[in-house]
C-alpha cells in the first residue's frame, strides 16, 4: 500500500489583484491518500468500506439438493473456492462447474472482480462429461448378469 499526500485546490471568493477574478489557492491541510494495487496491475485509491474486496464474505453455494454457506476472503479466486468445496462435496475441483449470475466462471477469476459480495449465491454443478465417464467406468467394473440367455430344461 502506498501513501501519497494530496494538495487540495479550490477557488477563493476573495479578490487578488485582477479585479473580480477568483484565483486558485492551495489548502495547507494536506491529507494522506491510501493507494492499493489491484490484481490487474492498476493503481487505484483505496476505498474505506469493507465491501471493496477486503475481509471475509459468506457465500451461499447451492447444489441441486443442498445449500452450503462458506466463508472465504473476497480477494480469493473461484479455483480456491472449488478447493474448499471439494472438502465439503467430495467432488474434485476439475469435476466442478461454478456459475455466478448465469455464467460459468474460470478458476483464475477473482471473486471481488466479478462482483461476488456477502450473501451472494453461487451454483455448483458437476461437470456432465466427467459424470458420464464415471458412470461408464462403474458399468465396466460390474459383472454382466445376462438373464435373457438362460435355458430352462424341463
Amino acid at each position: 500500500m502506498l501513501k501519497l499526500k494530496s494538495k487540495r485546490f479550490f477557488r477563493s471568493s476573495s479578490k487578488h489583484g485582477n479585479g473580480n477574478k477568483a484565483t486558485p489557492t492551495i489548502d495547507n491541510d494536506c491529507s494522506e491518500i491510501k493507494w492499493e494495487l489491484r490484481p490487474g496491475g492498476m493503481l487505484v485509491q483505496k476505498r474505506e468500506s469493507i465491501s471493496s474486496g477486503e475481509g471475509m464474505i459468506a457465500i451461499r453455494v447451492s447444489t441441486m439438493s443442498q445449500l452450503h454457506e462458506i466463508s472465504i476472503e473476497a480477494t480469493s479466486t473461484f479455483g480456491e473456492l472449488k478447493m474448499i468445496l471439494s472438502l465439503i462435496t467430495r467432488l474434485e475441483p476439475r469435476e466442478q462447474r461454478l456459475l455466478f449470475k448465469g455464467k460459468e466462471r474460470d478458476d483464475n477469476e477473482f471473486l471481488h472482480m466479478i462482483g461476488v459480495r456477502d450473501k451472494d449465491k453461487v451454483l455448483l454443478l458437476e461437470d456432465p462429461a466427467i459424470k458420464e465417464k464415471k458412470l461408464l467406468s462403474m458399468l465396466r467394473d460390474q459383472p454382466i448378469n445376462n438373464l435373457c440367455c438362460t435355458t430352462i430344461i424341463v
Side-chain angles (χ1 to χ4, degrees):
M1 179 172 62
L2 302 171
K3 292 184 180 179
L4 301 174
K5 294 195 176 218
S6 67
K7 295 183 180 181
R8 296 184 185 191
F9 293 95
F10 63 93
R11 294 197 176 261
S12 172
S13 61
S14 64
K15 298 178 185 175
H16 290 287
N18 292 18
N20 292 336
K21 291 185 179 179
T23 57
T25 59
I26 299 174
D27 185 9
N28 291 333
D29 178 32
C30 295
S31 61
E32 292 184 18
I33 296 177
K34 296 179 182 177
W35 296 88
E36 66 178 333
L37 189 63
R38 292 279 171 92
M42 184 182 296
L43 184 65
V44 295
Q45 184 176 352
K46 188 172 184 176
R47 296 184 214 156
E48 295 299 324
S49 65
I50 294 177
S51 64
S52 67
E54 300 173 1
M56 300 293 282
I57 58 173
I59 299 174
R60 295 180 300 154
V61 180
S62 174
T63 62
M64 291 302 202
S65 59
Q66 297 175 339
L67 183 69
H68 305 283
E69 189 157 326
I70 297 173
S71 294
I72 190 169
E73 287 188 32
T75 55
S76 300
T77 63
F78 280 92
E80 293 168 353
L81 179 59
K82 283 183 178 182
M83 293 295 283
I84 294 170
L85 287 170
S86 68
L87 300 172
I88 297 169
T89 63
R90 296 194 172 120
L91 285 174
E92 292 294 321
R94 62 180 177 82
E95 298 172 354
Q96 300 175 15
R97 293 176 61 195
L98 292 178
L99 283 80
F100 179 68
K101 292 189 178 178
K103 294 182 183 178
E104 185 177 357
R105 300 300 176 173
D106 292 332
D107 289 351
N108 56 358
E109 290 181 298
F110 290 91
L111 297 172
H112 71 286
M113 298 292 276
I114 299 300
V116 179
R117 292 192 175 91
D118 196 32
K119 302 292 182 190
D120 278 351
K121 186 176 181 181
V122 175
L123 183 63
L124 170 66
L125 299 175
E126 187 175 356
D127 190 0
I130 294 177
K131 187 176 183 178
E132 185 178 344
K133 286 180 185 177
K134 274 185 180 179
L135 288 173
L136 288 175
S137 67
M138 288 172 62
L139 288 174
R140 276 190 230 129
D141 294 341
Q142 291 180 351
I144 299 174
N145 295 330
N146 204 352
L147 299 175
C148 67
C149 298
T150 57
T151 57
I152 300 174
I153 301 174
V154 183

